[in-house]
Amino acid sequence: MGLNGYVVIGSAVVGLLVGLTGAGGGALMTPMLILLFSVKPAAAISSDLVAAVVMRPVGAIVHLRKGTVNLRLVGLMTLGSVPMAFLGSYLLRLLGDTSSSQKNVEILLGAALLAGAAAMVVRFVLDRKSGPRTAKVAEVRIRPVPTVLIGMTGGLIVGLTSVGSGSLMIVLLLFAYPMLSAGRLVGTDLTQAVPLTAAAALGALAFGHVEFGVTASIIVGSVPAVLIGSLLSSRAPDKYIRPAITFVILASGLKYVGVGTYPLGWAMGGALVAAGGYWLIRTQPWRRRAEEPAPVPEPALEPLDDVPVT
């Protein structure tokens, strides 16, 4: 299978979102491959992991240059995540390629996506409540055991589903290190995702699930888009993009765990209505207009009849 132009375009969209927000790569790319392009779940997961080995370092380099990466945290998380990523890839192989095993992979992927959506909502709530954080990257007190456990959890999930480094692991870091700002958490997480996805990709290559045409299409579309998104991330309205990613993750997760098309449509429509109602209650745009002061008329100019003419 050669390059697929539609996969290239879809991967570019996902890559741009990853560069802008630091999350959503596996949670968006793998469902897109399965739902839109009929790639088998195991092949979609493995192909996405191999492509991420090329895509992830782009965002990590941007954050390393900005100084928003805690390298000790990266080392501890990698210590737990790399061996568990190999284990996840091996367990994915044990599930096999039969229709029943593929269904099991879809259910597992759906559960991971729903957990990722919930994690992003929790992250949003915590950011709203805590406000700006002041701790610098190098001043954070490291907790080795929880950090290694976070890496182990994320590594196993990434190896099985290709989802987790952006959506799940970052919220675990939020709970373990609440004094780090969201930007620094994203930078640290993106950097630790490089060895993690490399380990999971090696496992995928060893166990033979990768479709190289799909992988090449993802790389061609996503890598330039990730670079552009990362360069624009300091100016992008993150508060608008993250809800869209959460919406897509939630819809994909519900679909994979067995929710029918019509119930899914009603559920996501209800979610949109609820989100719109929350926004109206919180912002109250009608009150802003009512409280705006009336414009002050400019004073009239005095006539110049008495000015002597020279």
Side-chain angles (χ1 to χ4, degrees):
M1 178 181 177
L3 289 177
N4 186 314
Y6 295 108
V7 175
V8 171
I9 295 172
S11 300
V13 174
V14 175
L16 183 64
L17 291 174
V18 172
L20 286 171
T21 66
L28 293 175
M29 192 77 74
T30 302
M32 179 193 71
L33 295 174
I34 298 172
L35 294 177
L36 297 183
F37 304 109
S38 301
V39 180
K40 289 185 178 181
I45 291 168
S46 299
S47 300
D48 181 24
L49 284 172
V50 174
V53 175
V54 181
M55 181 177 66
R56 295 282 183 184
V58 176
I61 290 172
V62 173
H63 281 275
L64 284 168
R65 291 176 62 88
K66 292 182 178 179
T68 56
V69 178
N70 188 305
L71 293 177
R72 190 180 174 197
L73 273 180
V74 170
L76 289 171
M77 294 177 70
T78 302
L79 182 65
S81 65
V82 168
M84 296 303 288
F86 277 109
L87 177 60
S89 297
Y90 178 69
L91 292 176
L92 182 64
R93 181 193 182 187
L94 293 181
L95 291 174
D97 292 323
T98 64
S99 59
S100 61
S101 63
Q102 293 289 327
K103 184 63 177 178
N104 291 335
V105 173
E106 288 187 12
I107 294 175
L108 184 62
L109 177 59
L113 290 173
L114 292 176
M120 296 183 78
V121 172
V122 171
R123 175 181 174 178
F124 171 78
V125 172
L126 289 177
D127 285 345
R128 296 289 298 185
K129 288 185 177 181
S130 60
R133 301 176 176 87
T134 58
K136 297 181 180 180
V137 171
E139 296 175 352
V140 177
R141 181 175 175 270
I142 303 297
R143 303 168 60 192
V145 174
T147 306
V148 173
L149 290 176
I150 289 172
M152 293 176 65
T153 302
L156 180 62
I157 294 174
V158 168
L160 279 169
T161 68
S162 84
V163 177
S165 61
S167 302
L168 298 177
M169 292 178 72
I170 200 165
V171 80
L172 296 177
L173 284 173
L174 267 173
F175 284 111
Y177 300 100
M179 291 301 295
L180 274 181
S181 67
R184 289 162 181 161
L185 286 167
V186 169
T188 300
D189 182 66
L190 276 174
T191 305
Q192 69 81 30
V194 174
L196 167 58
T197 52
L202 286 175
L205 288 169
F207 302 132
H209 295 297
V210 180
E211 291 188 12
F212 290 100
V214 175
T215 300
S217 300
I218 295 173
I219 292 173
V220 170
S222 64
V223 170
V226 168
L227 177 60
I228 294 172
S230 298
L231 294 174
L232 295 175
S233 60
S234 60
R235 303 177 183 177
D238 185 77
K239 62 181 179 180
Y240 299 130
I241 297 175
R242 284 192 182 276
I245 295 178
T246 305
F247 183 84
V248 174
I249 294 173
L250 178 61
S252 301
L254 290 174
K255 184 66 176 177
Y256 283 139
V257 297
V259 177
T261 302
Y262 288 108
L264 178 62
W266 282 106
M268 301 316 297
L272 284 176
V273 172
Y278 171 79
W279 178 81
L280 287 174
I281 293 173
R282 186 171 187 85
T283 60
Q284 298 182 2
W286 59 88
R287 293 189 61 181
R288 292 182 181 178
R289 294 180 181 178
E291 293 173 357
E292 287 180 359
V296 179
E298 295 183 2
L301 296 177
E302 296 291 337
L304 301 178
D305 296 340
D306 300 332
V307 178
V309 178
T310 58

